[in-house]
Amino acid sequence: MRQRLTNSPMMYAFGMLAMMIPSQAFSTFYSYYYVDKLGLGLGLFTIARTIFLIWDAANQPLFGYWSDRTQSKYGRRRPWIFVAIPLFMLAFVMVFSPPSSLSEMNLFFWFLIALILYEAVATVIWVNYGALFPELFKGDRQRTKASAVQQAFQIVAILIGTALTPILFDAMGFGSMAIVYAVVFGVLMLIFLRYVKEDEEAAKLPQPKLKEAFRETLRNKPFWLVNISNSFAQTVNGLLSATIPFYAKYVLRIPEEQNTLLLASVFVSVIPLVGVWYWILRRIDPVKGWRWSFVVYALSVIPLWFGTNLATGIAAGVIVGFGLAGFLVSPAMVNSRIIDEDALKTGSRREGIYTAVSGFIVRSSGLISAVAFLIVGMIFGYESGDNPGPNPEMTFRYLISVVPLILLAISIAISLFVKIERKSVHEPQASHYQL
């Protein structure tokens, strides 16, 4: 039984489930919590995000490089993940447990320190988790299947992290909610680690030194185009999640407890739609499928502009779910192909550094999102929940529909320049694992 489950798409996806529950709760509610609930100004909020990105730019590629060069009897990736689990739990609880009665400046420093600690530990886990994907699953067919299963688990996690979170923090407060999610994360990650075994042969391949590793990565034009394009689309993911609580309050004018229904409309619909995209992507070239996912995603955000109440908000949410599903499934397949081509060229498997640099590029979406939030807020006079300005409704109509449409148009334009030749990559005829 254990042998059948080892390295199966389902057990690999447990890592996604573990990470995404607290990560989605964080990305959806941390801005709402600090800006609207605690009254941290948008200016200080944006400064904190900028400082973090500078820190992230320095540490994320290094974590990937160190992971690639790690030698241990437990593998290259698993030791990093194991050590990071308790640190992540502590950092996540810290984000949502600031001391009461802090001044705005002290709240800013607490937020900044908690953000840096949380994101640093999260980076270690995401880099090593993501680096396992192209190593464990070979060829387009296996990767399409594994990505679809992974994203189905991700949607379940997103649904829990968004729809259940308002219920939990209403019932027990943000701090206790964070403790619950931290414990769930720890249990699920240990299950994931039990059933993942790394490729011993991949670890034996020679690894380039730091300068050479970064030089080869910087020269890889398709890699940069793909991930810059992904970063704009990922900005939309984060912007939608972070804006929905504001959208519910100021545009749809529904009670806070109905946020769960609105969030569920997006993420429940994504679960079956991941299967639709899996069917589509098995029948076309992954790069073309990835490009079309941007087009569909861009069209799907338009109905959010027309939301006026809970019913129209739910209808728009279901539509955007189809676009979101395509973008969730397709990027892993394209990045894995890029890593395969690099291995053919260099003779070494460098999933760690590619995943790390990719993660940094895509995670820069947090700054794009924060800047968009700040600019639109300044235009319409929104500062915080204590001072929402004269027209908060228009602020969040633009942030949830117009801004995402512009960002996805940029993703589409960049994706047109991506050319990846289909080279022969070993793909097993029969798989040793089951779902």
Side-chain angles (χ1 to χ4, degrees):
M1 179 68 175
R2 182 176 178 182
Q3 185 176 2
R4 287 192 303 165
L5 291 175
T6 298
N7 291 350
S8 67
M10 183 180 73
M11 299 316 298
Y12 178 75
F14 262 87
M16 177 63 76
L17 182 66
M19 278 298 295
M20 278 305 300
I21 291 174
S23 295
Q24 186 65 25
F26 170 82
S27 64
T28 303
F29 292 101
Y30 85 100
S31 56
Y32 179 67
Y33 177 57
Y34 275 90
V35 174
D36 209 74
K37 289 289 188 181
L38 301 181
L40 182 66
L42 276 178
L44 291 175
F45 176 82
T46 305
I47 290 171
R49 290 293 303 174
T50 304
I51 294 172
F52 149 70
L53 275 173
I54 295 171
W55 156 246
D56 199 36
N59 71 45
Q60 189 154 343
L62 287 174
F63 284 142
Y65 175 75
W66 291 331
S67 175
D68 283 338
R69 297 181 68 85
T70 297
Q71 298 289 334
S72 81
K73 65 179 181 179
Y74 302 107
R76 293 186 292 174
R77 323 297 181 187
R78 295 175 75 251
W80 286 90
I81 296 173
F82 187 80
V83 171
I85 288 173
L87 299 176
F88 179 89
M89 295 169 69
L90 291 172
F92 181 74
V93 172
M94 181 180 176
V95 169
F96 290 103
S97 304
S100 58
S101 304
L102 289 177
S103 67
E104 185 178 26
M105 188 55 64
N106 286 335
L107 180 63
F108 163 75
F109 284 116
W110 179 277
F111 173 62
L112 176 61
I113 294 169
L115 182 65
I116 288 174
L117 293 175
Y118 168 81
E119 294 277 17
V121 182
T123 293
V124 172
I125 297 177
W126 280 119
V127 164
N128 286 278
Y129 175 77
L132 288 168
F133 184 89
E135 179 181 315
L136 299 181
F137 308 109
K138 309 295 185 182
D140 290 342
R141 182 173 292 273
Q142 278 195 13
R143 286 168 179 169
T144 302
K145 181 179 181 180
S147 181
V149 174
Q150 181 190 34
Q151 299 312 320
F153 274 61
Q154 178 175 356
I155 297 307
V156 172
I158 289 173
L159 183 60
I160 294 170
T162 52
L164 182 61
T165 300
I167 297 173
L168 290 180
F169 69 63
D170 280 343
M172 61 180 66
F174 279 90
S176 297
M177 173 273 295
I179 293 172
V180 170
Y181 282 161
V183 172
V184 171
F185 160 81
V187 172
L188 293 175
M189 284 302 294
L190 291 176
I191 294 173
F192 156 74
L193 286 174
R194 178 174 173 79
Y195 289 98
V196 168
K197 182 179 180 181
E198 296 184 44
D199 184 351
E200 295 180 1
E201 295 303 316
K204 295 176 182 178
L205 293 173
Q207 292 295 326
K209 294 184 178 180
L210 183 63
K211 184 178 179 180
E212 182 184 352
F214 278 96
R215 183 173 63 246
E216 288 297 327
T217 305
L218 291 171
R219 288 177 176 175
N220 195 324
K221 182 179 177 181
F223 169 78
W224 285 95
L225 289 174
V226 165
N227 285 284
I228 291 172
S229 186
N230 285 342
S231 74
F232 284 98
Q234 183 62 39
T235 300
V236 175
N237 288 5
L239 197 58
L240 290 177
S241 295
T243 304
I244 281 177
F246 299 93
Y247 180 69
K249 178 178 179 178
Y250 294 111
V251 178
L252 304 183
R253 303 182 189 280
I254 60 176
E256 193 172 72
E257 57 267 22
Q258 291 185 0
N259 280 359
T260 296
L261 297 175
L262 184 62
L263 291 161
S265 70
V266 178
F267 299 115
V268 169
S269 67
V270 169
I271 296 174
L273 293 172
V274 162
V276 175
W277 277 99
Y278 168 60
W279 182 86
I280 293 171
L281 292 170
R282 286 188 64 187
R283 286 158 175 78
I284 62 175
D285 179 76
V287 177
K288 291 181 179 178
W290 166 74
R291 191 177 291 128
W292 273 108
S293 74
F294 291 139
V295 176
V296 175
Y297 201 1
L299 294 174
S300 73
V301 301
I302 296 174
L304 290 167
W305 174 269
F306 301 99
T308 56
N309 52 39
L310 179 61
T312 55
I314 288 175
V318 171
I319 293 170
V320 83
F322 185 60
L324 175 61
F327 177 64
L328 290 176
V329 175
S330 56
M333 298 161 58
V334 179
N335 274 321
S336 293
R337 182 180 287 186
I338 291 172
I339 292 171
D340 287 341
E341 290 195 358
D342 177 78
L344 290 172
K345 178 182 177 182
T346 65
S348 62
R349 299 292 305 187
R350 300 189 301 123
E351 293 93 343
I353 193 166
Y354 270 108
T355 302
V357 177
S358 171
F360 168 69
I361 298 169
V362 173
R363 281 162 61 138
S364 67
S365 63
L367 180 59
I368 301 172
S369 177
V371 170
F373 208 111
L374 178 63
I375 291 173
V376 176
M378 290 173 62
I379 291 172
F380 292 102
Y382 180 91
E383 293 183 6
S384 68
D386 296 332
N387 184 17
N391 197 355
E393 177 182 343
M394 195 57 67
T395 301
F396 295 104
R397 281 194 190 277
Y398 269 85
L399 280 171
I400 207 165
S401 184
V402 176
V403 174
L405 182 61
I406 293 171
L407 293 171
L408 287 163
I410 296 172
S411 288
I412 294 167
I414 296 172
S415 74
L416 296 175
F417 294 93
V418 175
K419 308 293 181 185
I420 303 176
E421 294 182 10
R422 188 184 183 92
K423 296 184 179 179
S424 177
V425 177
H426 173 67
E427 183 170 358
Q429 297 300 312
S431 115
H432 68 280
Y433 54 74
Q434 298 180 359
L435 281 177

